[in-house]
Amino acid sequence: MITILNQETGQDAMNGDQILTVHEAARSWQPNPNAAGALAHTVEWLTRFHVHTPRAERYATLSAWVYPLAPLPELELAYDIHAFFRIYDDFTDDLAADISRINVISTELTGILYGRPAKSPMGMIFHDLWTRQIISSPDQWVARVSEHWEWYFNTQATYAAMRDRRLDTTVEEYLELRQGNGAVALCLVLGEKVNFTYLPPHIHHCTQLRLLRRLASDIIVYCNDVYSSVRDAKRDDPRNLITIIRDQAGCDWQEARARCEREMRTLDWSIHITKQRLDAACDVLQFTDAERAQARMGARIADDWNWGYQAWAAANELLMDTDPPREEISRMLTSPRAV
């Protein structure tokens, strides 16, 4: 059992510092100054599609912390995408016992990436987002982000199936699943669009940048799962690293949390070393000044997500379940006015 004072209602449970030590770099992180304008836009967008909920609105605000340099129009798109993540994740969570239905909707959304029409309210929402993403975007970037959206959609059933304890997921398997299902890899690619830095393939696939994206994704999964384990314990939901570590190591919640913190510090040091190696790789690969600047922006995008997410999570992750229940999304999407 999680031993946190006043877990249900007390202030201790709502203070991120009580759950996970917040890194100094995250403590001093500043969100995008266009945050208020972007949020106003997304509230209108969610209302237009009849899916406005406090949970979706709260999750959309993550964009301001992880894309601190984005101009307002690009930040508006990012806010809408993050609101969609909350809507879609809550929708598929509500369908957790019906894997076949999750696969049907995931197939529809995947098809939209390749020109097939939307058939459902969820499909219409994503069609709007996808149309806006590909406007004025290079073909190579569109292909790249398509693959990541496909990865995200087609891991939803596997994530839902993790509720079945027979799966006995390992830490390694879980981190691999969350690369796609957690959408961090997707959001790092979206960072190119919102920051007006489309990386050419030979830079995007630079070994050190690929590793930076993986390291940042893993840190964010550890961070998210420490916080979400507090909520998940109330629903006996095993889909987080805390539960996996406790099952494998036979330890209590506090020890599992401490292991996550240690792993986050190790990953942070690996990011530091990898950025140094990226500078050396730019020399060896004979990058021009412009190419070197692009590579550094690729690293900056990963940094923004790492520290921006940790800053946002400390203030928001424990509040996500104080909003109306996720089942509300299913009700809204199946109401007559959603068609």
Side-chain angles (χ1 to χ4, degrees):
M1 182 173 181
I2 298 173
T3 53
I4 298 174
L5 295 177
N6 303 319
Q7 180 181 324
E8 296 293 330
T9 59
Q11 289 302 306
D12 286 339
M14 310 311 289
N15 182 347
D17 287 346
Q18 299 294 319
I19 305 299
L20 187 66
T21 303
V22 181
H23 194 285
E24 183 57 36
R27 286 183 183 278
S28 59
W29 203 256
Q30 294 298 311
N32 192 305
N34 296 309
L39 181 59
H41 158 85
T42 295
V43 168
E44 186 279 328
W45 181 79
L46 288 166
T47 302
R48 175 157 50 92
F49 281 103
H50 308 296
V51 288
H52 178 262
T53 67
R55 280 170 59 82
E57 182 177 335
R58 186 187 302 280
Y59 198 71
T61 64
L62 171 59
S63 297
W65 293 89
V66 296
Y67 300 128
L69 304 178
L72 180 58
E74 284 66 37
L75 191 65
E76 289 175 345
L77 174 61
Y79 261 64
D80 291 352
I81 288 172
H82 276 87
F84 173 80
F85 287 141
R86 186 73 275 140
I87 293 165
Y88 190 62
D89 287 354
D90 283 357
F91 183 66
T92 55
D93 263 355
D94 192 38
L95 296 176
D98 192 346
I99 301 297
S100 61
R101 284 189 65 196
I102 294 176
N103 283 329
V104 167
I105 190 68
S106 294
T107 298
E108 177 192 348
L109 299 184
T110 301
I112 291 169
L113 299 169
Y114 305 107
R116 292 193 282 276
K119 302 176 182 178
S120 66
M122 188 70 78
M124 287 185 279
I125 295 170
F126 181 65
H127 184 273
D128 173 83
L129 287 177
W130 182 239
T131 301
R132 290 157 59 197
Q133 286 170 71
I134 62 179
I135 292 174
S136 302
S137 298
D139 290 345
Q140 290 174 330
W141 183 85
V142 172
R144 184 182 304 158
V145 78
S146 296
E147 179 182 2
H148 284 287
W149 274 113
E150 183 176 306
W151 193 6
Y152 169 69
F153 291 136
N154 292 281
T155 54
Q156 296 299 323
T158 303
Y159 187 61
M162 273 193 67
R163 291 178 182 271
D164 189 329
R165 296 291 188 117
R166 291 176 299 172
L167 196 55
D168 191 26
T169 305
T170 67
V171 170
E172 293 74 21
E173 288 173 334
Y174 183 77
L175 289 173
E176 175 61 28
L177 168 66
R178 295 293 277 165
Q179 271 271 302
N181 175 263
V184 179
L186 167 58
C187 291
L188 292 171
V189 171
L190 288 169
E192 297 179 31
K193 182 175 182 67
V194 302
N195 286 297
F196 291 114
T197 304
Y198 293 105
L199 302 182
H202 72 287
I203 295 178
H204 174 80
H205 293 293
C206 176
T207 300
Q208 289 72 29
L209 279 180
R210 290 184 67 93
L211 184 55
L212 281 175
R213 292 192 293 270
R214 176 60 190 255
L215 292 167
S217 177
D218 285 352
I219 285 181
I220 290 165
V221 171
Y222 275 100
C223 179
N224 172 83
D225 281 24
V226 171
Y227 289 119
S228 66
S229 69
V230 178
R231 305 192 308 267
D232 292 344
K234 301 174 186 178
R235 298 190 300 271
D236 195 29
D237 188 339
R239 299 175 301 169
N240 61 71
L241 279 166
I242 292 288
T243 299
I244 293 171
I245 291 169
R246 291 183 68 183
D247 287 347
Q248 289 185 350
C251 60
D252 62 12
W253 185 90
Q254 292 290 358
E255 174 56 27
R257 180 205 58 79
R259 292 188 184 201
C260 287
E261 281 207 348
R262 290 195 295 271
E263 186 60 29
M264 288 174 67
R265 288 195 292 270
T266 299
L267 292 166
D268 179 50
W269 178 248
S270 295
I271 285 178
H272 174 72
I273 297 300
T274 303
K275 285 194 291 186
Q276 292 179 333
R277 293 184 62 78
L278 175 63
D279 287 338
C282 289
D283 292 335
V284 173
L285 294 170
Q286 300 180 20
F287 280 2
T288 65
D289 289 345
E291 290 173 321
R292 190 183 296 267
Q294 288 179 313
R296 286 176 174 165
M297 176 54 83
R300 168 68 193 260
I301 290 169
D303 262 352
D304 287 350
W305 254 92
N306 179 18
W307 303 124
Y309 181 82
Q310 292 189 53
W312 177 88
N316 290 277
E317 274 288 1
L318 292 174
L319 296 173
M320 292 301 293
D321 273 6
T322 65
D323 297 328
R326 60 191 64 194
E327 290 78 8
E328 174 127 351
I329 288 292
S330 293
R331 181 186 63 77
M332 298 170 103
L333 284 167
T334 55
S335 68
R337 66 177 183 174
V339 178

